PDB file of all heavy atoms in Angstrom:
ATOM      1  N   GLN A 352      69.801-248.642 -73.459  1.00 93.00           N
ATOM      2  CA  GLN A 352      69.446-247.314 -72.963  1.00 93.00           C
ATOM      3  C   GLN A 352      68.378-247.401 -71.879  1.00 93.00           C
ATOM      4  O   GLN A 352      68.431-246.689 -70.873  1.00 93.00           O
ATOM      5  CB  GLN A 352      68.977-246.440 -74.128  1.00 93.00           C
ATOM      6  CG  GLN A 352      70.096-246.055 -75.087  1.00 93.00           C
ATOM      7  CD  GLN A 352      69.590-245.329 -76.317  1.00 93.00           C
ATOM      8  OE1 GLN A 352      68.425-245.479 -76.712  1.00 93.00           O
ATOM      9  NE2 GLN A 352      70.458-244.554 -76.949  1.00 93.00           N
ATOM     10  N   ALA A 353      67.407-248.297 -72.087  1.00 94.00           N
ATOM     11  CA  ALA A 353      66.371-248.481 -71.071  1.00 94.00           C
ATOM     12  C   ALA A 353      66.960-249.035 -69.775  1.00 94.00           C
ATOM     13  O   ALA A 353      66.564-248.626 -68.681  1.00 94.00           O
ATOM     14  CB  ALA A 353      65.280-249.416 -71.600  1.00 94.00           C
ATOM     15  N   GLU A 354      67.909-249.957 -69.906  1.00 94.00           N
ATOM     16  CA  GLU A 354      68.538-250.524 -68.714  1.00 94.00           C
ATOM     17  C   GLU A 354      69.328-249.461 -67.951  1.00 94.00           C
ATOM     18  O   GLU A 354      69.345-249.448 -66.719  1.00 94.00           O
ATOM     19  CB  GLU A 354      69.467-251.676 -69.112  1.00 94.00           C
ATOM     20  CG  GLU A 354      68.738-252.914 -69.607  1.00 94.00           C
ATOM     21  CD  GLU A 354      67.817-253.508 -68.566  1.00 94.00           C
ATOM     22  OE1 GLU A 354      68.196-253.540 -67.381  1.00 94.00           O
ATOM     23  OE2 GLU A 354      66.709-253.918 -68.921  1.00 94.00           O
ATOM     24  N   GLN A 355      69.993-248.571 -68.671  1.00 94.00           N
ATOM     25  CA  GLN A 355      70.739-247.497 -68.018  1.00 94.00           C
ATOM     26  C   GLN A 355      69.810-246.609 -67.204  1.00 94.00           C
ATOM     27  O   GLN A 355      70.107-246.251 -66.050  1.00 94.00           O
ATOM     28  CB  GLN A 355      71.494-246.671 -69.056  1.00 94.00           C
ATOM     29  CG  GLN A 355      72.120-245.390 -68.522  1.00 94.00           C
ATOM     30  CD  GLN A 355      73.235-245.626 -67.519  1.00 94.00           C
ATOM     31  OE1 GLN A 355      73.647-246.767 -67.303  1.00 94.00           O
ATOM     32  NE2 GLN A 355      73.701-244.559 -66.905  1.00 94.00           N
ATOM     33  N   GLN A 356      68.681-246.231 -67.773  1.00 96.00           N
ATOM     34  CA  GLN A 356      67.731-245.397 -67.059  1.00 96.00           C
ATOM     35  C   GLN A 356      67.188-246.109 -65.825  1.00 96.00           C
ATOM     36  O   GLN A 356      67.043-245.501 -64.755  1.00 96.00           O
ATOM     37  CB  GLN A 356      66.583-244.999 -67.993  1.00 96.00           C
ATOM     38  CG  GLN A 356      67.002-244.091 -69.138  1.00 96.00           C
ATOM     39  CD  GLN A 356      65.861-243.800 -70.083  1.00 96.00           C
ATOM     40  OE1 GLN A 356      64.769-244.362 -69.962  1.00 96.00           O
ATOM     41  NE2 GLN A 356      66.103-242.912 -71.035  1.00 96.00           N
ATOM     42  N   GLU A 357      66.912-247.396 -65.968  1.00 96.00           N
ATOM     43  CA  GLU A 357      66.378-248.141 -64.830  1.00 96.00           C
ATOM     44  C   GLU A 357      67.428-248.309 -63.735  1.00 96.00           C
ATOM     45  O   GLU A 357      67.114-248.236 -62.546  1.00 96.00           O
ATOM     46  CB  GLU A 357      65.870-249.509 -65.298  1.00 96.00           C
ATOM     47  CG  GLU A 357      65.227-250.353 -64.191  1.00 96.00           C
ATOM     48  CD  GLU A 357      64.002-249.697 -63.579  1.00 96.00           C
ATOM     49  OE1 GLU A 357      63.440-248.761 -64.183  1.00 96.00           O
ATOM     50  OE2 GLU A 357      63.606-250.126 -62.477  1.00 96.00           O
ATOM     51  N   ARG A 358      68.674-248.504 -64.108  1.00 96.00           N
ATOM     52  CA  ARG A 358      69.729-248.623 -63.095  1.00 96.00           C
ATOM     53  C   ARG A 358      69.903-247.316 -62.332  1.00 96.00           C
ATOM     54  O   ARG A 358      70.094-247.318 -61.113  1.00 96.00           O
ATOM     55  CB  ARG A 358      71.053-249.042 -63.741  1.00 96.00           C
ATOM     56  CG  ARG A 358      71.083-250.500 -64.180  1.00 96.00           C
ATOM     57  CD  ARG A 358      72.523-250.970 -64.442  1.00 96.00           C
ATOM     58  NE  ARG A 358      73.290-250.029 -65.233  1.00 96.00           N
ATOM     59  CZ  ARG A 358      73.229-249.934 -66.552  1.00 96.00           C
ATOM     60  NH1 ARG A 358      72.424-250.738 -67.233  1.00 96.00           N
ATOM     61  NH2 ARG A 358      73.985-249.058 -67.206  1.00 96.00           N
ATOM     62  N   GLU A 359      69.842-246.201 -63.042  1.00 97.00           N
ATOM     63  CA  GLU A 359      69.945-244.905 -62.369  1.00 97.00           C
ATOM     64  C   GLU A 359      68.788-244.704 -61.396  1.00 97.00           C
ATOM     65  O   GLU A 359      68.977-244.205 -60.269  1.00 97.00           O
ATOM     66  CB  GLU A 359      69.972-243.787 -63.406  1.00 97.00           C
ATOM     67  CG  GLU A 359      71.258-243.754 -64.235  1.00 97.00           C
ATOM     68  CD  GLU A 359      71.209-242.721 -65.339  1.00 97.00           C
ATOM     69  OE1 GLU A 359      70.122-242.099 -65.515  1.00 97.00           O
ATOM     70  OE2 GLU A 359      72.222-242.519 -66.030  1.00 97.00           O
ATOM     71  N   ARG A 360      67.586-245.103 -61.809  1.00 96.00           N
ATOM     72  CA  ARG A 360      66.434-244.980 -60.912  1.00 96.00           C
ATOM     73  C   ARG A 360      66.602-245.869 -59.681  1.00 96.00           C
ATOM     74  O   ARG A 360      66.317-245.442 -58.550  1.00 96.00           O
ATOM     75  CB  ARG A 360      65.155-245.368 -61.656  1.00 96.00           C
ATOM     76  CG  ARG A 360      63.877-245.082 -60.871  1.00 96.00           C
ATOM     77  CD  ARG A 360      62.697-245.788 -61.489  1.00 96.00           C
ATOM     78  NE  ARG A 360      62.811-247.232 -61.340  1.00 96.00           N
ATOM     79  CZ  ARG A 360      62.512-247.886 -60.224  1.00 96.00           C
ATOM     80  NH1 ARG A 360      62.117-247.236 -59.151  1.00 96.00           N
ATOM     81  NH2 ARG A 360      62.622-249.201 -60.168  1.00 96.00           N
ATOM     82  N   LEU A 361      67.084-247.085 -59.886  1.00 96.00           N
ATOM     83  CA  LEU A 361      67.277-247.998 -58.766  1.00 96.00           C
ATOM     84  C   LEU A 361      68.333-247.490 -57.799  1.00 96.00           C
ATOM     85  O   LEU A 361      68.174-247.586 -56.577  1.00 96.00           O
ATOM     86  CB  LEU A 361      67.657-249.384 -59.289  1.00 96.00           C
ATOM     87  CG  LEU A 361      66.519-250.243 -59.833  1.00 96.00           C
ATOM     88  CD1 LEU A 361      67.067-251.467 -60.555  1.00 96.00           C
ATOM     89  CD2 LEU A 361      65.566-250.655 -58.724  1.00 96.00           C
ATOM     90  N   ARG A 362      69.443-246.968 -58.331  1.00 96.00           N
ATOM     91  CA  ARG A 362      70.489-246.442 -57.453  1.00 96.00           C
ATOM     92  C   ARG A 362      69.941-245.299 -56.584  1.00 96.00           C
ATOM     93  O   ARG A 362      70.236-245.221 -55.386  1.00 96.00           O
ATOM     94  CB  ARG A 362      71.677-245.954 -58.279  1.00 96.00           C
ATOM     95  CG  ARG A 362      72.491-247.062 -58.931  1.00 96.00           C
ATOM     96  CD  ARG A 362      73.787-246.509 -59.504  1.00 96.00           C
ATOM     97  NE  ARG A 362      74.481-247.524 -60.284  1.00 96.00           N
ATOM     98  CZ  ARG A 362      74.554-247.563 -61.604  1.00 96.00           C
ATOM     99  NH1 ARG A 362      73.954-246.632 -62.317  1.00 96.00           N
ATOM    100  NH2 ARG A 362      75.219-248.523 -62.228  1.00 96.00           N
ATOM    101  N   ALA A 363      69.166-244.410 -57.189  1.00 96.00           N
ATOM    102  CA  ALA A 363      68.603-243.298 -56.426  1.00 96.00           C
ATOM    103  C   ALA A 363      67.611-243.804 -55.377  1.00 96.00           C
ATOM    104  O   ALA A 363      67.591-243.317 -54.233  1.00 96.00           O
ATOM    105  CB  ALA A 363      67.917-242.313 -57.373  1.00 96.00           C
ATOM    106  N   GLN A 364      66.802-244.783 -55.745  1.00 94.00           N
ATOM    107  CA  GLN A 364      65.836-245.319 -54.794  1.00 94.00           C
ATOM    108  C   GLN A 364      66.531-246.032 -53.638  1.00 94.00           C
ATOM    109  O   GLN A 364      66.133-245.891 -52.476  1.00 94.00           O
ATOM    110  CB  GLN A 364      64.883-246.283 -55.508  1.00 94.00           C
ATOM    111  CG  GLN A 364      63.768-246.799 -54.599  1.00 94.00           C
ATOM    112  CD  GLN A 364      62.780-247.671 -55.342  1.00 94.00           C
ATOM    113  OE1 GLN A 364      62.866-247.842 -56.569  1.00 94.00           O
ATOM    114  NE2 GLN A 364      61.830-248.231 -54.620  1.00 94.00           N
ATOM    115  N   ILE A 365      67.576-246.789 -53.935  1.00 96.00           N
ATOM    116  CA  ILE A 365      68.317-247.487 -52.884  1.00 96.00           C
ATOM    117  C   ILE A 365      68.955-246.487 -51.935  1.00 96.00           C
ATOM    118  O   ILE A 365      68.896-246.629 -50.710  1.00 96.00           O
ATOM    119  CB  ILE A 365      69.370-248.424 -53.505  1.00 96.00           C
ATOM    120  CG1 ILE A 365      68.687-249.609 -54.191  1.00 96.00           C
ATOM    121  CG2 ILE A 365      70.350-248.924 -52.445  1.00 96.00           C
ATOM    122  CD1 ILE A 365      69.620-250.450 -55.047  1.00 96.00           C
ATOM    123  N   ALA A 366      69.594-245.451 -52.491  1.00 96.00           N
ATOM    124  CA  ALA A 366      70.272-244.458 -51.654  1.00 96.00           C
ATOM    125  C   ALA A 366      69.285-243.729 -50.746  1.00 96.00           C
ATOM    126  O   ALA A 366      69.538-243.552 -49.544  1.00 96.00           O
ATOM    127  CB  ALA A 366      71.023-243.469 -52.530  1.00 96.00           C
ATOM    128  N   SER A 367      68.156-243.305 -51.283  1.00 94.00           N
ATOM    129  CA  SER A 367      67.188-242.570 -50.466  1.00 94.00           C
ATOM    130  C   SER A 367      66.542-243.469 -49.429  1.00 94.00           C
ATOM    131  O   SER A 367      66.278-243.042 -48.293  1.00 94.00           O
ATOM    132  CB  SER A 367      66.116-241.938 -51.364  1.00 94.00           C
ATOM    133  OG  SER A 367      65.361-242.931 -52.034  1.00 94.00           O
ATOM    134  N   THR A 368      66.302-244.729 -49.780  1.00 95.00           N
ATOM    135  CA  THR A 368      65.701-245.665 -48.826  1.00 95.00           C
ATOM    136  C   THR A 368      66.663-245.994 -47.700  1.00 95.00           C
ATOM    137  O   THR A 368      66.284-246.050 -46.524  1.00 95.00           O
ATOM    138  CB  THR A 368      65.263-246.946 -49.539  1.00 95.00           C
ATOM    139  OG1 THR A 368      64.334-246.616 -50.585  1.00 95.00           O
ATOM    140  CG2 THR A 368      64.579-247.912 -48.573  1.00 95.00           C
ATOM    141  N   GLU A 369      67.947-246.212 -48.032  1.00 96.00           N
ATOM    142  CA  GLU A 369      68.955-246.467 -47.000  1.00 96.00           C
ATOM    143  C   GLU A 369      69.041-245.291 -46.023  1.00 96.00           C
ATOM    144  O   GLU A 369      69.123-245.488 -44.804  1.00 96.00           O
ATOM    145  CB  GLU A 369      70.313-246.710 -47.646  1.00 96.00           C
ATOM    146  CG  GLU A 369      70.450-248.053 -48.321  1.00 96.00           C
ATOM    147  CD  GLU A 369      71.788-248.214 -49.021  1.00 96.00           C
ATOM    148  OE1 GLU A 369      72.437-247.193 -49.305  1.00 96.00           O
ATOM    149  OE2 GLU A 369      72.166-249.360 -49.276  1.00 96.00           O
ATOM    150  N   ALA A 370      69.036-244.068 -46.568  1.00 95.00           N
ATOM    151  CA  ALA A 370      69.130-242.886 -45.709  1.00 95.00           C
ATOM    152  C   ALA A 370      67.923-242.789 -44.782  1.00 95.00           C
ATOM    153  O   ALA A 370      68.057-242.454 -43.594  1.00 95.00           O
ATOM    154  CB  ALA A 370      69.249-241.632 -46.570  1.00 95.00           C
ATOM    155  N   MET A 371      66.736-243.077 -45.292  1.00 95.00           N
ATOM    156  CA  MET A 371      65.533-243.015 -44.469  1.00 95.00           C
ATOM    157  C   MET A 371      65.560-244.059 -43.369  1.00 95.00           C
ATOM    158  O   MET A 371      65.288-243.783 -42.200  1.00 95.00           O
ATOM    159  CB  MET A 371      64.300-243.205 -45.355  1.00 95.00           C
ATOM    160  CG  MET A 371      62.972-243.222 -44.612  1.00 95.00           C
ATOM    161  SD  MET A 371      62.506-244.855 -43.927  1.00 95.00           S
ATOM    162  CE  MET A 371      62.308-245.830 -45.414  1.00 95.00           C
ATOM    163  N   VAL A 372      65.933-245.294 -43.742  1.00 95.00           N
ATOM    164  CA  VAL A 372      65.909-246.389 -42.780  1.00 95.00           C
ATOM    165  C   VAL A 372      66.909-246.151 -41.649  1.00 95.00           C
ATOM    166  O   VAL A 372      66.636-246.450 -40.484  1.00 95.00           O
ATOM    167  CB  VAL A 372      66.198-247.725 -43.500  1.00 95.00           C
ATOM    168  CG1 VAL A 372      66.464-248.843 -42.502  1.00 95.00           C
ATOM    169  CG2 VAL A 372      65.017-248.102 -44.392  1.00 95.00           C
ATOM    170  N   ASP A 373      68.060-245.595 -41.966  1.00 95.00           N
ATOM    171  CA  ASP A 373      69.132-245.459 -40.975  1.00 95.00           C
ATOM    172  C   ASP A 373      69.016-244.190 -40.134  1.00 95.00           C
ATOM    173  O   ASP A 373      69.805-243.991 -39.218  1.00 95.00           O
ATOM    174  CB  ASP A 373      70.488-245.485 -41.686  1.00 95.00           C
ATOM    175  CG  ASP A 373      71.640-245.644 -40.713  1.00 95.00           C
ATOM    176  OD1 ASP A 373      71.549-246.520 -39.840  1.00 95.00           O
ATOM    177  OD2 ASP A 373      72.610-244.883 -40.821  1.00 95.00           O
TER     178      ASP A 373
END
Side-chain angles (χ1 to χ4, degrees):
Q352 290 173 336
E354 290 299 320
Q355 170 66 7
Q356 294 176 354
E357 183 61 17
R358 287 196 314 279
E359 291 175 355
R360 188 194 68 80
L361 282 169
R362 289 191 188 106
Q364 185 176 356
I365 290 169
S367 64
T368 302
E369 286 177 340
M371 177 275 296
V372 168
D373 192 47

